[in-house]
Amino acid sequence: MQIFETSQIIFAFCFVFQLFYSFFKSLVGKDVVVELKNDVSICGTLHSVDQYLNIKLTDISVTDPDKYPHMLSVKNCFIRGSVVRYVQLPGDEVDTQLLQDATRKEAVNATR
């Protein structure tokens, strides 16, 4: 069993967090679906993301407008990062090789 110091765990967490932040910034202008913890799914164009993984979407629509009719008049929204359950990304926009390489590099650095 390998024991990690607190500083190693914090560094690894910060790296992974930074990796997601950088990744989402590269998807600005792409269409995504954000599923919230309250089961609302919102489709829209990713306008911006910040270091807390808060998301701003433009040209939004909900996937179930019959269940959420009050959302039909909303065109743009800001979503707090802590209420996001999933973000569905366009498959052709994800560079899996780049993500795998970054993850491998971090795993090597974390064991040092």
Side-chain angles (χ1 to χ4, degrees), residues 62-77:
V62 291
T63 56
D64 191 0
D66 295 331
K67 191 172 181 182
Y68 305 102
H70 57 283
M71 293 292 290
L72 292 175
S73 62
V74 179
K75 299 298 176 208
N76 305 310
C77 69

Side-chain angles (χ1 to χ4, degrees), residues 18-27 89 94-95 99:
Q18 184 66 31
L19 180 66
F20 280 116
Y21 172 56
S22 297
F23 177 68
F24 280 120
K25 280 181 28 178
S26 72
L27 293 173
L89 309 170
V94 179
D95 186 354
L99 289 174

Side-chain angles (χ1 to χ4, degrees), residues 7-20 106:
S7 61
Q8 288 175 317
I9 294 170
I10 291 171
F11 175 76
F13 177 76
C14 289
F15 177 81
V16 170
F17 196 76
Q18 184 66 31
L19 180 66
F20 280 116
E106 174 50 31

Side-chain angles (χ1 to χ4, degrees), residues 82-106:
S82 63
V83 301
V84 174
R85 181 180 293 150
Y86 299 112
V87 179
Q88 299 174 21
L89 309 170
D92 56 341
E93 297 295 332
V94 179
D95 186 354
T96 55
Q97 188 62 43
L98 180 66
L99 289 174
Q100 289 173 356
D101 290 345
T103 304
R104 284 188 195 103
K105 287 178 186 175
E106 174 50 31

